[in-house]
Amino acid sequence: MSYENVPVYRKRWFVFLSLLFFIPATLLIALTGDLYAQKDGVVYKFKNNAVHQLIVTAVVFMMVGLFLAAGR
């Protein structure tokens, strides 16, 4: 598989940008399919453990944001 054939929303850089700017998109992307990265010309699929950590991180960020927003 070539990295050019991977949809943009499944690439590592896009997932991390969505984690910073729109957390629900990160959760949707992570829960609905595989995520990919490229290193030294080789395409890698995220391991399940890494995807689970990403999901937990996104949920924590979202909960903190909701908690802070409720306090205003």
Short mmCIF file of all heavy atoms in Angstrom, two decimals:
data_model
loop_
_atom_site.label_atom_id
_atom_site.label_comp_id
_atom_site.label_asym_id
_atom_site.label_seq_id
_atom_site.Cartn_x
_atom_site.Cartn_y
_atom_site.Cartn_z
N MET A 1 0.84 -1.17 0.00
CA MET A 1 0.00 0.00 0.00
C MET A 1 0.89 1.24 0.00
O MET A 1 1.85 1.31 0.74
CB MET A 1 -0.90 -0.01 1.24
CG MET A 1 -1.60 1.30 1.48
SD MET A 1 -2.56 1.34 2.98
CE MET A 1 -4.08 0.70 2.37
N SER A 2 0.54 2.19 -0.82
CA SER A 2 1.31 3.43 -0.83
C SER A 2 0.59 4.47 0.03
O SER A 2 -0.64 4.46 0.18
CB SER A 2 1.48 3.96 -2.25
OG SER A 2 0.26 4.44 -2.76
N TYR A 3 1.37 5.36 0.59
CA TYR A 3 0.82 6.38 1.50
C TYR A 3 -0.08 7.35 0.74
O TYR A 3 -1.00 7.93 1.35
CB TYR A 3 1.97 7.11 2.18
CG TYR A 3 1.59 7.84 3.43
CD1 TYR A 3 1.03 7.17 4.51
CD2 TYR A 3 1.79 9.21 3.56
CE1 TYR A 3 0.69 7.83 5.67
CE2 TYR A 3 1.45 9.89 4.71
CZ TYR A 3 0.90 9.20 5.76
OH TYR A 3 0.56 9.86 6.91
N GLU A 4 0.12 7.52 -0.55
CA GLU A 4 -0.72 8.41 -1.34
C GLU A 4 -2.14 7.86 -1.48
O GLU A 4 -3.08 8.61 -1.71
CB GLU A 4 -0.11 8.65 -2.73
CG GLU A 4 1.16 9.48 -2.70
CD GLU A 4 2.38 8.67 -2.28
OE1 GLU A 4 2.40 7.44 -2.49
OE2 GLU A 4 3.30 9.27 -1.71
N ASN A 5 -2.31 6.54 -1.37
CA ASN A 5 -3.63 5.92 -1.50
C ASN A 5 -4.43 5.97 -0.21
O ASN A 5 -5.62 5.68 -0.22
CB ASN A 5 -3.49 4.47 -1.95
CG ASN A 5 -2.96 4.37 -3.37
OD1 ASN A 5 -3.04 5.32 -4.14
ND2 ASN A 5 -2.40 3.24 -3.70
N VAL A 6 -3.78 6.33 0.89
CA VAL A 6 -4.47 6.43 2.18
C VAL A 6 -5.29 7.72 2.19
O VAL A 6 -4.77 8.78 1.84
CB VAL A 6 -3.44 6.43 3.34
CG1 VAL A 6 -4.14 6.66 4.67
CG2 VAL A 6 -2.65 5.14 3.36
N PRO A 7 -6.57 7.64 2.58
CA PRO A 7 -7.36 8.88 2.67
C PRO A 7 -6.73 9.87 3.65
O PRO A 7 -6.14 9.47 4.66
CB PRO A 7 -8.72 8.40 3.19
CG PRO A 7 -8.76 6.95 2.91
CD PRO A 7 -7.35 6.47 2.93
N VAL A 8 -6.85 11.14 3.37
CA VAL A 8 -6.21 12.17 4.18
C VAL A 8 -6.64 12.06 5.64
O VAL A 8 -5.83 12.19 6.55
CB VAL A 8 -6.54 13.57 3.63
CG1 VAL A 8 -6.07 14.66 4.58
CG2 VAL A 8 -5.94 13.75 2.26
N TYR A 9 -7.92 11.78 5.88
CA TYR A 9 -8.42 11.74 7.24
C TYR A 9 -7.94 10.50 8.02
O TYR A 9 -8.19 10.40 9.22
CB TYR A 9 -9.95 11.83 7.28
CG TYR A 9 -10.66 10.73 6.53
CD1 TYR A 9 -11.02 9.56 7.16
CD2 TYR A 9 -10.96 10.87 5.19
CE1 TYR A 9 -11.66 8.54 6.49
CE2 TYR A 9 -11.62 9.88 4.49
CZ TYR A 9 -11.96 8.72 5.15
OH TYR A 9 -12.61 7.71 4.47
N ARG A 10 -7.26 9.59 7.39
CA ARG A 10 -6.69 8.41 8.05
C ARG A 10 -5.19 8.56 8.31
O ARG A 10 -4.57 7.68 8.87
CB ARG A 10 -6.91 7.16 7.22
CG ARG A 10 -8.35 6.82 7.01
CD ARG A 10 -8.87 6.01 8.15
NE ARG A 10 -10.29 5.78 7.99
CZ ARG A 10 -11.11 5.64 9.00
NH1 ARG A 10 -10.66 5.67 10.22
NH2 ARG A 10 -12.38 5.46 8.80
N LYS A 11 -4.60 9.67 7.88
CA LYS A 11 -3.16 9.90 8.06
C LYS A 11 -2.89 10.48 9.44
O LYS A 11 -3.71 11.19 10.01
CB LYS A 11 -2.64 10.84 6.97
CG LYS A 11 -2.70 10.21 5.59
CD LYS A 11 -2.12 11.11 4.54
CE LYS A 11 -2.20 10.44 3.17
NZ LYS A 11 -1.56 11.22 2.12
N ARG A 12 -1.72 10.15 9.98
CA ARG A 12 -1.35 10.54 11.33
C ARG A 12 -1.44 12.04 11.55
O ARG A 12 -1.99 12.49 12.55
CB ARG A 12 0.06 10.04 11.65
CG ARG A 12 0.55 10.48 13.01
CD ARG A 12 1.89 9.92 13.38
NE ARG A 12 2.86 10.07 12.31
CZ ARG A 12 4.04 9.49 12.31
NH1 ARG A 12 4.41 8.74 13.30
NH2 ARG A 12 4.87 9.67 11.31
N TRP A 13 -0.93 12.84 10.63
CA TRP A 13 -0.92 14.29 10.83
C TRP A 13 -2.33 14.86 10.93
O TRP A 13 -2.60 15.75 11.72
CB TRP A 13 -0.10 15.00 9.74
CG TRP A 13 -0.69 14.90 8.36
CD1 TRP A 13 -0.42 13.96 7.42
CD2 TRP A 13 -1.66 15.78 7.78
NE1 TRP A 13 -1.16 14.19 6.28
CE2 TRP A 13 -1.93 15.30 6.47
CE3 TRP A 13 -2.32 16.90 8.22
CZ2 TRP A 13 -2.82 15.92 5.62
CZ3 TRP A 13 -3.23 17.52 7.36
CH2 TRP A 13 -3.47 17.02 6.08
N PHE A 14 -3.25 14.33 10.14
CA PHE A 14 -4.62 14.82 10.17
C PHE A 14 -5.31 14.44 11.47
O PHE A 14 -6.06 15.24 12.07
CB PHE A 14 -5.42 14.28 8.98
CG PHE A 14 -6.81 14.85 8.89
CD1 PHE A 14 -7.03 16.05 8.24
CD2 PHE A 14 -7.88 14.20 9.47
CE1 PHE A 14 -8.30 16.59 8.16
CE2 PHE A 14 -9.15 14.74 9.40
CZ PHE A 14 -9.36 15.94 8.75
N VAL A 15 -5.06 13.23 11.95
CA VAL A 15 -5.67 12.77 13.20
C VAL A 15 -5.21 13.63 14.36
O VAL A 15 -6.01 14.05 15.21
CB VAL A 15 -5.37 11.28 13.44
CG1 VAL A 15 -5.82 10.84 14.82
CG2 VAL A 15 -6.03 10.42 12.37
N PHE A 16 -3.93 13.96 14.42
CA PHE A 16 -3.43 14.78 15.51
C PHE A 16 -3.91 16.23 15.41
O PHE A 16 -4.19 16.86 16.43
CB PHE A 16 -1.92 14.69 15.62
CG PHE A 16 -1.47 13.35 16.16
CD1 PHE A 16 -0.56 12.59 15.45
CD2 PHE A 16 -1.96 12.85 17.35
CE1 PHE A 16 -0.16 11.35 15.93
CE2 PHE A 16 -1.58 11.62 17.84
CZ PHE A 16 -0.67 10.87 17.13
N LEU A 17 -4.07 16.75 14.21
CA LEU A 17 -4.66 18.08 14.05
C LEU A 17 -6.12 18.08 14.49
O LEU A 17 -6.58 19.03 15.15
CB LEU A 17 -4.54 18.56 12.61
CG LEU A 17 -3.20 19.13 12.19
CD1 LEU A 17 -3.24 19.53 10.72
CD2 LEU A 17 -2.83 20.33 13.04
N SER A 18 -6.83 17.03 14.15
CA SER A 18 -8.23 16.96 14.57
C SER A 18 -8.33 16.80 16.09
O SER A 18 -9.27 17.30 16.70
CB SER A 18 -8.97 15.82 13.86
OG SER A 18 -8.51 14.57 14.30
N LEU A 19 -7.34 16.16 16.71
CA LEU A 19 -7.32 16.05 18.16
C LEU A 19 -7.16 17.42 18.81
O LEU A 19 -7.75 17.71 19.84
CB LEU A 19 -6.18 15.12 18.61
CG LEU A 19 -6.03 14.89 20.12
CD1 LEU A 19 -7.27 14.21 20.68
CD2 LEU A 19 -4.80 14.05 20.39
N LEU A 20 -6.41 18.29 18.18
CA LEU A 20 -6.20 19.64 18.72
C LEU A 20 -7.38 20.56 18.47
O LEU A 20 -7.69 21.42 19.30
CB LEU A 20 -4.94 20.25 18.12
CG LEU A 20 -3.62 19.63 18.53
CD1 LEU A 20 -2.48 20.26 17.74
CD2 LEU A 20 -3.39 19.80 20.02
N PHE A 21 -8.05 20.42 17.32
CA PHE A 21 -9.05 21.40 16.93
C PHE A 21 -10.50 20.92 16.97
O PHE A 21 -11.41 21.73 17.11
CB PHE A 21 -8.74 21.94 15.53
CG PHE A 21 -7.46 22.71 15.47
CD1 PHE A 21 -6.35 22.19 14.83
CD2 PHE A 21 -7.36 23.94 16.10
CE1 PHE A 21 -5.16 22.88 14.79
CE2 PHE A 21 -6.17 24.65 16.07
CZ PHE A 21 -5.07 24.13 15.42
N PHE A 22 -10.75 19.62 16.82
CA PHE A 22 -12.12 19.11 16.81
C PHE A 22 -12.11 17.66 17.27
O PHE A 22 -12.05 16.72 16.47
CB PHE A 22 -12.74 19.26 15.42
CG PHE A 22 -14.22 19.03 15.40
CD1 PHE A 22 -15.07 19.88 16.09
CD2 PHE A 22 -14.76 17.98 14.69
CE1 PHE A 22 -16.43 19.67 16.08
CE2 PHE A 22 -16.13 17.77 14.67
CZ PHE A 22 -16.97 18.61 15.37
N ILE A 23 -12.20 17.47 18.58
CA ILE A 23 -12.04 16.15 19.20
C ILE A 23 -13.09 15.14 18.73
O ILE A 23 -12.74 13.98 18.51
CB ILE A 23 -12.02 16.29 20.73
CG1 ILE A 23 -10.77 17.07 21.14
CG2 ILE A 23 -12.04 14.94 21.41
CD1 ILE A 23 -10.72 17.47 22.59
N PRO A 24 -14.36 15.52 18.55
CA PRO A 24 -15.32 14.51 18.08
C PRO A 24 -14.92 13.88 16.74
O PRO A 24 -15.16 12.69 16.52
CB PRO A 24 -16.63 15.29 17.96
CG PRO A 24 -16.50 16.39 18.96
CD PRO A 24 -15.05 16.78 18.91
N ALA A 25 -14.29 14.64 15.86
CA ALA A 25 -13.82 14.06 14.59
C ALA A 25 -12.74 13.02 14.84
O ALA A 25 -12.72 11.97 14.19
CB ALA A 25 -13.29 15.15 13.68
N THR A 26 -11.86 13.29 15.79
CA THR A 26 -10.82 12.33 16.13
C THR A 26 -11.43 11.02 16.60
O THR A 26 -11.02 9.93 16.18
CB THR A 26 -9.90 12.89 17.23
OG1 THR A 26 -9.40 14.14 16.82
CG2 THR A 26 -8.77 11.94 17.54
N LEU A 27 -12.41 11.12 17.48
CA LEU A 27 -13.08 9.91 17.97
C LEU A 27 -13.76 9.15 16.85
O LEU A 27 -13.65 7.92 16.77
CB LEU A 27 -14.09 10.29 19.06
CG LEU A 27 -13.49 10.77 20.37
CD1 LEU A 27 -14.58 11.30 21.28
CD2 LEU A 27 -12.71 9.66 21.04
N LEU A 28 -14.45 9.86 15.98
CA LEU A 28 -15.14 9.21 14.87
C LEU A 28 -14.15 8.50 13.94
O LEU A 28 -14.37 7.35 13.55
CB LEU A 28 -15.96 10.24 14.09
CG LEU A 28 -16.81 9.70 12.95
CD1 LEU A 28 -17.90 8.80 13.49
CD2 LEU A 28 -17.41 10.83 12.16
N ILE A 29 -13.06 9.16 13.62
CA ILE A 29 -12.06 8.57 12.74
C ILE A 29 -11.42 7.35 13.38
O ILE A 29 -11.26 6.31 12.75
CB ILE A 29 -11.00 9.62 12.36
CG1 ILE A 29 -11.60 10.72 11.49
CG2 ILE A 29 -9.81 8.97 11.65
CD1 ILE A 29 -10.72 11.94 11.35
N ALA A 30 -11.06 7.47 14.66
CA ALA A 30 -10.38 6.37 15.34
C ALA A 30 -11.29 5.16 15.55
O ALA A 30 -10.83 4.02 15.51
CB ALA A 30 -9.84 6.84 16.69
N LEU A 31 -12.57 5.41 15.74
CA LEU A 31 -13.50 4.30 16.00
C LEU A 31 -13.98 3.61 14.73
O LEU A 31 -14.48 2.48 14.81
CB LEU A 31 -14.70 4.82 16.80
CG LEU A 31 -14.41 5.22 18.24
CD1 LEU A 31 -15.63 5.90 18.85
CD2 LEU A 31 -14.00 4.01 19.06
N THR A 32 -13.83 4.24 13.58
CA THR A 32 -14.42 3.68 12.36
C THR A 32 -13.43 3.03 11.40
O THR A 32 -13.85 2.56 10.35
CB THR A 32 -15.21 4.75 11.60
OG1 THR A 32 -14.33 5.82 11.27
CG2 THR A 32 -16.38 5.26 12.41
N GLY A 33 -12.15 3.01 11.73
CA GLY A 33 -11.22 2.36 10.80
C GLY A 33 -9.79 2.48 11.23
O GLY A 33 -9.47 2.95 12.32
N ASP A 34 -8.91 2.04 10.34
CA ASP A 34 -7.48 2.03 10.62
C ASP A 34 -6.87 3.41 10.41
O ASP A 34 -7.35 4.21 9.62
CB ASP A 34 -6.77 1.04 9.69
CG ASP A 34 -7.22 -0.39 9.94
OD1 ASP A 34 -7.53 -0.72 11.10
OD2 ASP A 34 -7.26 -1.17 8.98
N LEU A 35 -5.77 3.66 11.14
CA LEU A 35 -4.99 4.88 11.01
C LEU A 35 -3.60 4.51 10.52
O LEU A 35 -3.08 3.46 10.87
CB LEU A 35 -4.90 5.60 12.35
CG LEU A 35 -6.23 5.90 13.04
CD1 LEU A 35 -6.01 6.48 14.42
CD2 LEU A 35 -7.05 6.84 12.18
N TYR A 36 -2.99 5.37 9.72
CA TYR A 36 -1.72 5.05 9.08
C TYR A 36 -0.68 6.14 9.29
O TYR A 36 -1.02 7.31 9.43
CB TYR A 36 -1.92 4.84 7.57
CG TYR A 36 -2.85 3.69 7.25
CD1 TYR A 36 -4.21 3.91 7.08
CD2 TYR A 36 -2.36 2.39 7.15
CE1 TYR A 36 -5.06 2.86 6.80
CE2 TYR A 36 -3.21 1.34 6.85
CZ TYR A 36 -4.55 1.57 6.69
OH TYR A 36 -5.40 0.53 6.41
N ALA A 37 0.55 5.72 9.28
CA ALA A 37 1.69 6.64 9.35
C ALA A 37 2.73 6.16 8.35
O ALA A 37 2.72 5.01 7.92
CB ALA A 37 2.27 6.66 10.76
N GLN A 38 3.64 7.06 8.00
CA GLN A 38 4.71 6.72 7.08
C GLN A 38 6.04 7.09 7.73
O GLN A 38 6.19 8.16 8.30
CB GLN A 38 4.56 7.47 5.77
CG GLN A 38 5.64 7.16 4.76
CD GLN A 38 5.45 7.96 3.48
OE1 GLN A 38 4.73 8.94 3.43
NE2 GLN A 38 6.10 7.52 2.43
N LYS A 39 6.99 6.17 7.63
CA LYS A 39 8.34 6.42 8.14
C LYS A 39 9.32 5.77 7.18
O LYS A 39 9.22 4.58 6.89
CB LYS A 39 8.51 5.86 9.55
CG LYS A 39 9.86 6.14 10.14
CD LYS A 39 9.95 5.64 11.57
CE LYS A 39 11.33 5.96 12.10
NZ LYS A 39 11.50 5.43 13.45
N ASP A 40 10.25 6.57 6.70
CA ASP A 40 11.28 6.09 5.77
C ASP A 40 10.68 5.40 4.55
O ASP A 40 11.19 4.40 4.07
CB ASP A 40 12.26 5.15 6.48
CG ASP A 40 13.01 5.83 7.61
OD1 ASP A 40 13.26 7.04 7.51
OD2 ASP A 40 13.34 5.15 8.60
N GLY A 41 9.57 5.94 4.05
CA GLY A 41 8.96 5.41 2.85
C GLY A 41 8.10 4.18 3.06
O GLY A 41 7.55 3.64 2.12
N VAL A 42 7.98 3.71 4.31
CA VAL A 42 7.18 2.52 4.61
C VAL A 42 5.91 2.96 5.33
O VAL A 42 5.95 3.77 6.25
CB VAL A 42 7.98 1.54 5.50
CG1 VAL A 42 7.15 0.32 5.84
CG2 VAL A 42 9.28 1.13 4.82
N VAL A 43 4.77 2.42 4.90
CA VAL A 43 3.49 2.75 5.50
C VAL A 43 3.21 1.77 6.64
O VAL A 43 3.32 0.56 6.48
CB VAL A 43 2.35 2.67 4.46
CG1 VAL A 43 1.01 2.97 5.09
CG2 VAL A 43 2.64 3.62 3.31
N TYR A 44 2.86 2.34 7.80
CA TYR A 44 2.55 1.53 8.97
C TYR A 44 1.11 1.77 9.41
O TYR A 44 0.63 2.90 9.37
CB TYR A 44 3.46 1.90 10.15
CG TYR A 44 4.91 1.59 9.91
CD1 TYR A 44 5.79 2.56 9.49
CD2 TYR A 44 5.39 0.30 10.11
CE1 TYR A 44 7.13 2.28 9.27
CE2 TYR A 44 6.71 0.00 9.90
CZ TYR A 44 7.58 0.99 9.47
OH TYR A 44 8.90 0.70 9.26
N LYS A 45 0.45 0.71 9.84
CA LYS A 45 -0.88 0.82 10.42
C LYS A 45 -0.71 0.98 11.93
O LYS A 45 0.12 0.30 12.54
CB LYS A 45 -1.68 -0.43 10.10
CG LYS A 45 -3.11 -0.39 10.55
CD LYS A 45 -3.86 -1.60 10.05
CE LYS A 45 -4.07 -2.52 11.21
NZ LYS A 45 -4.95 -3.64 10.91
N PHE A 46 -1.46 1.90 12.53
CA PHE A 46 -1.40 2.06 13.98
C PHE A 46 -1.78 0.74 14.65
O PHE A 46 -2.73 0.08 14.24
CB PHE A 46 -2.39 3.13 14.44
CG PHE A 46 -1.89 4.54 14.36
CD1 PHE A 46 -1.15 5.00 13.29
CD2 PHE A 46 -2.19 5.42 15.37
CE1 PHE A 46 -0.72 6.30 13.22
CE2 PHE A 46 -1.77 6.74 15.32
CZ PHE A 46 -1.03 7.18 14.24
N LYS A 47 -1.08 0.39 15.70
CA LYS A 47 -1.44 -0.80 16.48
C LYS A 47 -2.69 -0.49 17.29
O LYS A 47 -2.98 0.67 17.59
CB LYS A 47 -0.29 -1.19 17.40
CG LYS A 47 0.93 -1.64 16.64
CD LYS A 47 2.03 -2.03 17.60
CE LYS A 47 3.26 -2.46 16.80
NZ LYS A 47 4.38 -2.80 17.67
N ASN A 48 -3.42 -1.54 17.64
CA ASN A 48 -4.65 -1.36 18.41
C ASN A 48 -4.40 -0.62 19.71
O ASN A 48 -5.22 0.20 20.14
CB ASN A 48 -5.31 -2.70 18.68
CG ASN A 48 -6.00 -3.26 17.47
OD1 ASN A 48 -6.35 -2.53 16.55
ND2 ASN A 48 -6.17 -4.57 17.44
N ASN A 49 -3.27 -0.90 20.35
CA ASN A 49 -2.94 -0.24 21.60
C ASN A 49 -2.80 1.27 21.40
O ASN A 49 -3.28 2.07 22.23
CB ASN A 49 -1.65 -0.82 22.19
CG ASN A 49 -1.38 -0.34 23.58
OD1 ASN A 49 -2.30 -0.05 24.33
ND2 ASN A 49 -0.11 -0.24 23.94
N ALA A 50 -2.18 1.69 20.33
CA ALA A 50 -2.01 3.12 20.04
C ALA A 50 -3.35 3.77 19.75
O ALA A 50 -3.59 4.91 20.18
CB ALA A 50 -1.05 3.31 18.87
N VAL A 51 -4.22 3.08 19.05
CA VAL A 51 -5.55 3.63 18.76
C VAL A 51 -6.35 3.77 20.05
O VAL A 51 -7.03 4.77 20.27
CB VAL A 51 -6.30 2.75 17.73
CG1 VAL A 51 -7.73 3.23 17.54
CG2 VAL A 51 -5.56 2.74 16.40
N HIS A 52 -6.26 2.78 20.93
CA HIS A 52 -6.97 2.85 22.21
C HIS A 52 -6.45 4.01 23.05
O HIS A 52 -7.24 4.71 23.70
CB HIS A 52 -6.85 1.53 22.96
CG HIS A 52 -7.56 0.41 22.30
ND1 HIS A 52 -7.16 -0.90 22.40
CD2 HIS A 52 -8.66 0.38 21.50
CE1 HIS A 52 -7.96 -1.68 21.70
NE2 HIS A 52 -8.89 -0.91 21.15
N GLN A 53 -5.15 4.23 23.05
CA GLN A 53 -4.58 5.35 23.79
C GLN A 53 -5.06 6.68 23.21
O GLN A 53 -5.34 7.62 23.96
CB GLN A 53 -3.06 5.29 23.78
CG GLN A 53 -2.50 4.19 24.63
CD GLN A 53 -0.98 4.08 24.51
OE1 GLN A 53 -0.36 4.72 23.67
NE2 GLN A 53 -0.39 3.25 25.35
N LEU A 54 -5.14 6.76 21.90
CA LEU A 54 -5.65 7.97 21.25
C LEU A 54 -7.10 8.23 21.64
O LEU A 54 -7.48 9.36 21.94
CB LEU A 54 -5.53 7.83 19.73
CG LEU A 54 -6.10 8.96 18.90
CD1 LEU A 54 -5.29 10.23 19.10
CD2 LEU A 54 -6.12 8.58 17.43
N ILE A 55 -7.91 7.20 21.67
CA ILE A 55 -9.32 7.34 22.05
C ILE A 55 -9.45 7.81 23.50
O ILE A 55 -10.22 8.73 23.80
CB ILE A 55 -10.08 6.02 21.81
CG1 ILE A 55 -10.18 5.75 20.31
CG2 ILE A 55 -11.46 6.05 22.46
CD1 ILE A 55 -10.68 4.37 19.96
N VAL A 56 -8.68 7.20 24.39
CA VAL A 56 -8.72 7.60 25.80
C VAL A 56 -8.28 9.06 25.94
O VAL A 56 -8.90 9.84 26.67
CB VAL A 56 -7.86 6.66 26.67
CG1 VAL A 56 -7.66 7.21 28.06
CG2 VAL A 56 -8.49 5.28 26.72
N THR A 57 -7.22 9.44 25.26
CA THR A 57 -6.74 10.82 25.31
C THR A 57 -7.81 11.79 24.81
O THR A 57 -8.04 12.83 25.43
CB THR A 57 -5.45 10.97 24.48
OG1 THR A 57 -4.46 10.07 24.98
CG2 THR A 57 -4.93 12.39 24.52
N ALA A 58 -8.45 11.45 23.71
CA ALA A 58 -9.49 12.32 23.16
C ALA A 58 -10.66 12.45 24.12
O ALA A 58 -11.19 13.56 24.31
CB ALA A 58 -9.95 11.79 21.81
N VAL A 59 -11.05 11.36 24.75
CA VAL A 59 -12.17 11.41 25.70
C VAL A 59 -11.80 12.26 26.91
O VAL A 59 -12.60 13.08 27.37
CB VAL A 59 -12.60 9.98 26.12
CG1 VAL A 59 -13.54 10.02 27.31
CG2 VAL A 59 -13.24 9.26 24.95
N VAL A 60 -10.58 12.12 27.41
CA VAL A 60 -10.13 12.93 28.54
C VAL A 60 -10.11 14.40 28.16
O VAL A 60 -10.60 15.25 28.92
CB VAL A 60 -8.75 12.45 29.05
CG1 VAL A 60 -8.14 13.45 30.02
CG2 VAL A 60 -8.86 11.09 29.69
N PHE A 61 -9.57 14.74 27.01
CA PHE A 61 -9.55 16.14 26.56
C PHE A 61 -10.97 16.69 26.45
O PHE A 61 -11.24 17.82 26.83
CB PHE A 61 -8.85 16.28 25.21
CG PHE A 61 -7.35 16.23 25.26
CD1 PHE A 61 -6.61 16.27 24.09
CD2 PHE A 61 -6.65 16.13 26.45
CE1 PHE A 61 -5.24 16.23 24.11
CE2 PHE A 61 -5.27 16.09 26.48
CZ PHE A 61 -4.56 16.14 25.31
N MET A 62 -11.88 15.89 25.91
CA MET A 62 -13.24 16.35 25.74
C MET A 62 -13.92 16.55 27.10
O MET A 62 -14.62 17.54 27.31
CB MET A 62 -14.05 15.36 24.88
CG MET A 62 -15.38 15.91 24.47
SD MET A 62 -16.19 15.04 23.11
CE MET A 62 -16.14 13.37 23.62
N MET A 63 -13.70 15.64 28.03
CA MET A 63 -14.29 15.76 29.36
C MET A 63 -13.74 16.99 30.09
O MET A 63 -14.49 17.72 30.75
CB MET A 63 -14.05 14.50 30.18
CG MET A 63 -14.71 13.27 29.60
SD MET A 63 -16.47 13.46 29.34
CE MET A 63 -17.05 13.23 30.98
N VAL A 64 -12.45 17.24 29.99
CA VAL A 64 -11.86 18.42 30.61
C VAL A 64 -12.44 19.69 30.00
O VAL A 64 -12.78 20.64 30.72
CB VAL A 64 -10.31 18.40 30.49
CG1 VAL A 64 -9.70 19.74 30.85
CG2 VAL A 64 -9.72 17.29 31.35
N GLY A 65 -12.57 19.71 28.69
CA GLY A 65 -13.16 20.87 28.02
C GLY A 65 -14.60 21.11 28.45
O GLY A 65 -15.01 22.25 28.70
N LEU A 66 -15.38 20.04 28.55
CA LEU A 66 -16.77 20.18 28.98
C LEU A 66 -16.84 20.63 30.44
O LEU A 66 -17.68 21.47 30.81
CB LEU A 66 -17.51 18.86 28.81
CG LEU A 66 -17.79 18.45 27.36
CD1 LEU A 66 -18.36 17.04 27.31
CD2 LEU A 66 -18.72 19.43 26.68
N PHE A 67 -15.96 20.12 31.28
CA PHE A 67 -15.92 20.52 32.69
C PHE A 67 -15.56 22.00 32.82
O PHE A 67 -16.18 22.73 33.59
CB PHE A 67 -14.91 19.65 33.44
CG PHE A 67 -14.77 20.00 34.89
CD1 PHE A 67 -15.75 19.64 35.80
CD2 PHE A 67 -13.65 20.69 35.34
CE1 PHE A 67 -15.64 19.96 37.14
CE2 PHE A 67 -13.53 21.02 36.69
CZ PHE A 67 -14.52 20.66 37.58
N LEU A 68 -14.55 22.43 32.06
CA LEU A 68 -14.17 23.84 32.11
C LEU A 68 -15.25 24.75 31.55
O LEU A 68 -15.48 25.85 32.06
CB LEU A 68 -12.86 24.06 31.35
CG LEU A 68 -11.61 23.43 31.99
CD1 LEU A 68 -10.41 23.58 31.06
CD2 LEU A 68 -11.34 24.04 33.34
N ALA A 69 -15.94 24.30 30.51
CA ALA A 69 -17.00 25.11 29.93
C ALA A 69 -18.20 25.20 30.87
O ALA A 69 -18.88 26.23 30.93
CB ALA A 69 -17.44 24.51 28.59
N ALA A 70 -18.48 24.15 31.63
CA ALA A 70 -19.61 24.15 32.56
C ALA A 70 -19.34 25.08 33.75
O ALA A 70 -20.28 25.59 34.36
CB ALA A 70 -19.89 22.74 33.05
N GLY A 71 -18.07 25.31 34.05
CA GLY A 71 -17.72 26.16 35.19
C GLY A 71 -17.83 27.64 34.89
O GLY A 71 -17.71 28.46 35.78
N ARG A 72 -18.08 28.01 33.66
CA ARG A 72 -18.15 29.44 33.30
C ARG A 72 -19.51 30.00 33.53
O ARG A 72 -20.52 29.62 33.42
CB ARG A 72 -17.75 29.64 31.84
CG ARG A 72 -16.29 29.37 31.68
CD ARG A 72 -15.86 29.71 30.29
NE ARG A 72 -14.43 29.45 30.19
CZ ARG A 72 -13.68 29.90 29.26
NH1 ARG A 72 -14.18 30.65 28.32
NH2 ARG A 72 -12.40 29.64 29.22
#
